[in-house]
Amino acid sequence: MEETLKILVVDDDEVDRIAICSALTKAGVQIELSEVGNGNEAFSVLSITTYDCVFLDYRLPDRDALTLIQQLRSSEIKVPLVVLTGQGDEEITLQLLEAGATDYLSKSRISPETLSQVLRNVIRIYRAEIQADLANQQLRETHEQLIFKNQELERQQQQIQLQNFKLLEASRLKSLFLATISHELRTPMNAIIGFSQILLRPKFGQLTRQQADMVERILNNGKHLLMLLNEVLDFSKLEGGGLDLKAERFDISKVINLVVSEMRSLADAKNLSLLVQTDLQNPLVFNDPVRVKQILINLLSNAIKFTESGEIWVEVKELPANRVVIIVQDTGIGIAPRDFQHIFEAFRQVDQTITRKYPGTGLGLAIIDSLVRMMGGKIFLESKLGIGSRFKIELPRQITLPTVAANAPASQASQLDNDDFFCPAKNPHQSSSQASKAPYRIS
Ligand code: ADP
């Protein structure tokens, strides 16, 4: 040992003290030695001074070493203690170790070698104990921190659950509000539409041209408003799971042609060509005709709304595995890939500003997405900005009722390839098969 060790010898017998000191010196240990003769003095010195080791005579004049050790340990005084026992003290050694003595040594065995050996051992043990204490302390602290963090996490989790609950409740109330308001507004709106239609009947009476023009505007705006209200009502029903499909066997080609003829005037008003091709060997499907019509109306009105010039194609054809596909394709403004996944969400529009050019509720595609999912179908979107968009609705020829709605959205999307989109312009059949090469899932 290179360092100088501070040693305290507690012994009332001066001869013994000298023997210990000379043995330590002879062992070549560098020591700074202090000596006291009784337990009281030892306690006082150890209370204020730190030693590397204490050699303690078992039999002190004012108390025995066992009592002194217990006092020292209960006062949290930490120091390696070696008890020097005399003859007949052997049976007490276990008690000494239990009370906190680091080691013991019979006085009869004191020699430079044994003393230096014991000293080295106790200091090593003591330092290892200190390290272990420190590590234990750190472990305890880490453990406490973990408990604290755990409690914090549990608190946060409870808060999130509460927020979640509040959000669900708010969402439920919002749906209820939407459903109630749109339902209540439909009754007066139907009256406005009905009375406007009566006023416009030639039998009813003579209206001036100006009056007839105004009533017509009331009628058209009323119809538009009713359409928007129906959209909100349908959406709230779909959200709340209150919309059921009423499936029956019908001719899908007829429905497609009917919708196209109903909407042709809108396309004509914008000078857009509206082409339709139905290519089905068996046009009969088992589905809800009202909802299939609604899907097509939504797609077609979007195609007309977002197209300034060019053409709109509607096509229906058979697919393998007993499926049919309805395709609505336009040469409109197109949709950027970054917007693909958003536009199927409720109230989401590419242009969210109030001053936007194209009006709408932002519910059309969300309704289509929910309906197609209920029907067990899929939506594919391919589009390119400034070139146009193609929406493909794949449906099973025969839907299963009730279809458990899958959680995944029905929509898939990809960017339109320029050439792909344009080369078959006059041939919608070819167009769709070419352009459907690489649609990808958007979520
Ligand atoms: P709305 O038409 O009422 O805005 P939709 O849910 O039908 O709501 O459509 C959401 C958005 O998707 C539209 O606002 C528009 O930005 C975009 N979109 C839909 N169809 C087309 C289309 N054929 N061409 C370009 N953009 C479209």
Side-chain angles (χ1 to χ4, degrees), residues 228 231 298-299 301-307 328-330 332-335 339 342-351 356 358-368 381 383 388-391:
L228 296 180
E231 224 165 52
N298 281 358
L299 287 179
S301 55
N302 273 350
I304 296 169
K305 182 164 67 176
F306 293 106
T307 304
V328 176
Q329 183 172 325
D330 62 57
I333 59 171
I335 302 157
D339 295 316
H342 301 304
I343 56 170
F344 290 92
E345 293 165 15
F347 305 110
R348 286 292 209 126
Q349 292 162 313
V350 171
D351 183 359
R356 65 177 174 269
Y358 303 102
T361 56
L363 286 175
L365 289 182
I367 290 173
I368 292 177
L381 163 62
S383 187
S389 309
R390 178 191 291 142
F391 287 84

Side-chain angles (χ1 to χ4, degrees), residues 254-441:
K254 276 193 186 152
V255 170
I256 304 267
N257 284 319
L258 183 73
V259 172
V260 170
S261 65
E262 277 174 10
M263 301 196 69
R264 187 169 293 286
S265 60
L266 289 177
D268 289 347
K270 288 182 82 176
N271 273 329
L272 302 171
S273 318
L274 181 52
L275 309 165
V276 58
Q277 177 158 337
T278 52
D279 187 11
L280 293 169
Q281 283 194 331
N282 172 12
L284 291 181
V285 296
F286 181 76
N287 202 328
D288 184 334
V290 175
R291 297 303 169 187
V292 171
K293 193 174 166 192
Q294 184 177 11
I295 291 171
L296 189 61
I297 290 174
N298 281 358
L299 287 179
L300 208 46
S301 55
N302 273 350
I304 296 169
K305 182 164 67 176
F306 293 106
T307 304
E308 297 306 336
S309 63
E311 287 142 349
I312 291 159
W313 302 276
V314 181
E315 186 186 8
V316 58
K317 58 181 182 172
E318 263 144 8
L319 288 182
N322 230 0
R323 284 169 306 141
V324 291
V325 60
I326 302 169
I327 301 163
V328 176
Q329 183 172 325
D330 62 57
T331 52
I333 59 171
I335 302 157
R338 65 170 181 278
D339 295 316
F340 281 4
Q341 53 189 318
H342 301 304
I343 56 170
F344 290 92
E345 293 165 15
F347 305 110
R348 286 292 209 126
Q349 292 162 313
V350 171
D351 183 359
Q352 298 267 50
T353 61
I354 299 176
T355 52
R356 65 177 174 269
K357 190 172 169 191
Y358 303 102
T361 56
L363 286 175
L365 289 182
I367 290 173
I368 292 177
D369 193 65
S370 297
L371 287 175
V372 171
R373 214 183 314 165
M374 284 173 80
M375 292 170 180
K378 279 203 181 316
I379 306 170
F380 296 89
L381 163 62
E382 298 156 83
S383 187
K384 192 161 187 181
L385 273 184
I387 305 291
S389 309
R390 178 191 291 142
F391 287 84
K392 294 203 300 177
I393 311 289
E394 277 186 22
L395 297 172
R397 183 179 284 281
Q398 173 143 1
I399 63 165
T400 320
L401 288 178
T403 303
V404 180
N407 281 335
S411 47
Q412 301 190 351
S414 70
Q415 192 170 0
L416 265 184
D417 178 11
N418 215 345
D419 299 340
D420 209 12
F421 194 61
F422 271 124
C423 59
K426 296 289 169 199
N427 185 344
H429 180 78
Q430 191 189 358
S431 158
S432 84
S433 60
Q434 282 194 351
S436 64
K437 270 186 288 197
Y440 62 86
R441 257 184 197 286

Side-chain angles (χ1 to χ4, degrees), residues 178 182 186 224-238 294 297-298 301-302 305 347 360-365 367:
L178 285 179
S182 46
R186 272 190 342 159
H224 182 64
L225 214 53
L226 188 64
M227 194 263 297
L228 296 180
L229 286 173
N230 282 339
E231 224 165 52
V232 177
L233 189 63
D234 279 346
F235 171 72
S236 50
K237 275 193 202 160
L238 278 165
Q294 184 177 11
I297 290 174
N298 281 358
S301 55
N302 273 350
K305 182 164 67 176
F347 305 110
T361 56
L363 286 175
L365 289 182
I367 290 173

